[in-house]
Amino acid sequence: MVDWEGPLTEAYERATTYLGGLPERRVGPRASAAELRAKLGGPLPGGPSDPREVVARLAAGVEDGLLASGSGRFFGFVFGGATPASLAADWLTTAWDQNAGLYAASPAAAVIEDITAGWLTELFGLPTGTSVGFVTGAQMANFTGLAAARHEVLRRAGRDVERQGLIGAPAVRVLAGAERHDTIDRALRFLGLGTDCIVPVAVDDQGRMRPDALVEALQDDATGASGGRGTGPTVVCTQVGNVNTGAFDPLREICEVARANGAWVHVDGAFGLWAAVSSRLSPLLDGVDLADSWATDAHKWLNVPYDSGLVLCAHPEAHRAAMSIRASYLIQDEIGERDPLDYNPEFSRRARGIPVYAAVRALGRTGIAEIVDRCHAMAARFADALRAGGADILNDVVLNQVLVRFGNDDAVTRRVVAEVQRDGTCWMSGTTWQGRAAMRISVTNWTTGRDDIDRSAEAVLRVLRKVS
């Protein structure tokens, strides 16, 4: 008889100890790569080991190499944590071990995704009937949304790109803000369009796309790339929640200009799209419903365990055309239910919609809004504390991002970032913003409160005094 209880009990005890210690745990890792290899490595095992002992040794071996990204004092990379309901549901998802590619392979997983898709569409204020794909993260969400865009703009030009490919196809131009996220460029590489198709559109001092610059770029296309015959196949990539400043592109103006020129609008909203649930912050998203596709993450502000991205599309037929596949051995559409593989680039995959379902069910609209509003307030509190201590705040804190510079000096700023990471009280990363070094603070964790902010600000200013 298989002993499930032993290793699962060990895992449960180790996990709850780790989670319970997060509020006081050092945020940065303690061990070097060499130390971790010494603890975890060794020769290839020659035979079986006791599963409970394997779990215990694994947990002990990684302990000092963990970055406590679930801590309320972790402010790096726009990482969220994991709410209790979503984490527990994720454990069950692993235990159930469902292949969520087809309805026939897991009716429960497919139905849960369908239900959750409807909830998400309503939460974000998007058009009824919007299709949703559950992917790994914003990279694949942007890839999938742009695949649907590629299909549709070329279809309008008389090209079936899924059948005929790109050789000999009309050139597709992608107009994107100069401060776009790199996942846009990478997605275009994956799609065979290449980064040379990007026309950078000028932005303002907060990284927001300038509508007048977009108009100019579209006019250049109409008179240049298309030989004066009007705008060719065009995609406009806009951003809500700049990865450095948190700024939002002016969506309504952008969408109206793009629509007038027959362009598809894709919204990269990896974390900013969640502002839609906040009555205070939702005006930042005015016009979001006018776009054609959207990308976001559940493992950011919804605080669902990794990996959990979302792609949404106002044109389900384009979404399906770009993603779906048929094979003789698959059981598809026999009773009219949704097959998840029609909406994402994966075939076999885990049922990652289940933790998203649990998070939304447990929090509801008001609970999600409370997390977003509190993180926004805590970001402003962090900025105020650092400004009072002599730091320069480079951005308008409109969401959850804070850009900080020290002594108006690149070297001092980078040294403060490195010393804060070593200190361990909190953890945030460095960045370069419009040619200047900066500390980038992202307040995204569902547990972050005033004490976390005050302790962290004090640690940053203590380091600043030390290095100045």
Side-chain angles (χ1 to χ4, degrees), residues 85-100 106 109 112-113 304-305 307 349-358:
S86 67
L87 178 56
D90 198 58
W91 285 4
L92 284 174
T93 299
T94 300
W96 292 331
D97 196 26
Q98 300 290 283
N99 185 328
S106 181
I112 280 177
E113 287 195 3
V304 166
D307 51 19
R349 64 175 179 86
R350 76 193 308 268
R352 63 174 63 92
I354 294 174
V356 182
Y357 169 91

Side-chain angles (χ1 to χ4, degrees), residues 261-287:
N261 286 271
W264 176 291
V265 178
H266 174 71
V267 178
D268 177 8
F271 57 98
L273 196 59
W274 292 97
V277 304
S278 164
S279 59
R280 179 184 305 171
L281 299 174
S282 59
L284 293 167
L285 286 161
D286 178 46

Side-chain angles (χ1 to χ4, degrees), residues 67 69 73-80 306 427-429 440-444:
L67 181 63
S69 55
R73 287 173 284 111
F74 181 85
F75 306 107
F77 304 129
V78 203
F79 288 178
Y306 277 90
W427 201 99
M428 57 277 286
S429 58
R440 187 180 70 129
I441 296 170
S442 176
V443 186
T444 319

Side-chain angles (χ1 to χ4, degrees), residues 242-267:
N242 179 280
V243 74
N244 281 303
T245 66
F248 285 61
D249 288 346
L251 288 176
R252 182 169 296 280
E253 293 176 81
I254 289 169
C255 288
E256 288 174 352
V257 168
R259 280 191 170 189
N261 286 271
W264 176 291
V265 178
H266 174 71
V267 178

Side-chain angles (χ1 to χ4, degrees), residues 443-463:
V443 186
T444 319
N445 190 283
W446 69 284
T447 67
T448 299
R450 290 188 174 192
D451 181 63
D452 295 305
I453 298 301
D454 295 346
R455 287 177 61 187
S456 299
E458 181 183 354
V460 173
L461 295 175
R462 181 175 67 246
V463 168

Side-chain angles (χ1 to χ4, degrees), residues 139-151 153-154 161-162 165-167 169 172 174 183-195 197 235 237 264 266 293 322-323 345:
Q139 176 67 79
M140 294 315 294
N142 281 324
F143 168 86
T144 306
L146 290 171
R150 182 188 66 172
H151 164 85
V153 298
L154 286 175
V161 68
E162 284 74 35
L166 288 171
I167 297 175
V172 177
V174 178
T183 52
I184 297 296
D185 298 53
R186 197 166 183 234
L188 294 171
R189 285 166 45 199
F190 293 167
L191 288 165
L193 295 173
T195 55
C197 77
V235 178
C237 285
W264 176 291
H266 174 71
S293 57
M323 291 292 116

Side-chain angles (χ1 to χ4, degrees), residues 4-338:
W4 294 106
E5 185 176 354
L8 290 177
T9 298
E10 185 73 31
Y12 170 78
E13 291 173 352
R14 297 276 184 167
T16 51
T17 297
Y18 172 78
L19 293 168
L22 279 176
E24 296 304 323
R25 182 186 176 95
R26 172 190 169 87
V27 182
R30 297 182 179 89
S32 67
E35 290 168 333
L36 290 169
R37 288 191 181 95
K39 290 181 178 180
L40 296 164
L44 173 70
S49 298
D50 176 70
R52 183 162 190 164
E53 181 183 345
V54 169
V55 172
R57 291 187 63 181
L58 169 65
V62 304
E63 174 67 21
D64 288 341
L66 296 174
L67 181 63
S69 55
S71 167
R73 287 173 284 111
F74 181 85
F75 306 107
F77 304 129
V78 203
F79 288 178
T83 60
S86 67
L87 178 56
D90 198 58
W91 285 4
L92 284 174
T93 299
T94 300
W96 292 331
D97 196 26
Q98 300 290 283
N99 185 328
L102 296 169
Y103 173 84
S106 181
V111 169
I112 280 177
E113 287 195 3
D114 200 22
I115 292 168
T116 310
W119 288 350
L120 292 168
T121 300
E122 183 178 349
L123 277 171
F124 296 140
L126 303 182
T128 301
T130 291
S131 54
V132 181
F134 293 77
V135 295
T136 55
Q139 176 67 79
M140 294 315 294
N142 281 324
F143 168 86
T144 306
L146 290 171
R150 182 188 66 172
H151 164 85
E152 182 59 19
V153 298
L154 286 175
R155 183 196 67 78
R156 296 171 189 169
R159 185 79 173 187
D160 183 344
V161 68
E162 284 74 35
R163 183 173 61 85
Q164 297 173 292
L166 288 171
I167 297 175
V172 177
R173 287 180 18 122
V174 178
L175 281 60
E179 290 290 348
R180 66 191 176 276
H181 195 273
D182 290 337
T183 52
I184 297 296
D185 298 53
R186 197 166 183 234
L188 294 171
R189 285 166 45 199
F190 293 167
L191 288 165
L193 295 173
T195 55
D196 280 355
C197 77
I198 299 173
V199 178
V201 180
V203 298
D204 66 13
D205 64 347
Q206 296 296 305
R208 294 178 290 246
M209 183 189 291
R210 287 171 35 203
D212 63 315
L214 175 62
V215 170
E216 183 178 345
L218 288 166
Q219 289 174 343
D220 287 346
D221 181 37
T223 58
S226 302
R229 296 187 301 276
T231 304
T234 304
V235 178
V236 174
C237 285
T238 185
Q239 183 174 225
V240 293
N242 179 280
V243 74
N244 281 303
T245 66
F248 285 61
D249 288 346
L251 288 176
R252 182 169 296 280
E253 293 176 81
I254 289 169
C255 288
E256 288 174 352
V257 168
R259 280 191 170 189
N261 286 271
W264 176 291
V265 178
H266 174 71
V267 178
D268 177 8
F271 57 98
L273 196 59
W274 292 97
V277 304
S278 164
S279 59
R280 179 184 305 171
L281 299 174
S282 59
L284 293 167
L285 286 161
D286 178 46
V288 69
D289 57 313
L290 301 178
D292 298 288
S293 57
W294 306 264
T296 192
D297 280 327
H299 57 229
K300 288 188 170 67
W301 243 344
L302 191 60
N303 281 252
V304 166
Y306 277 90
D307 51 19
S308 189
L310 303 162
V311 58
L312 305 98
C313 186
H315 309 280
E317 66 286 351
H319 193 170
R320 286 172 59 97
M323 291 292 116
S324 65
I325 189 69
R326 293 291 180 269
S328 61
Y329 67 95
L330 298 178
I331 303 172
Q332 294 171 269
D333 288 339
E334 289 200 348
I335 58 174
E337 291 294 341
R338 175 184 183 275

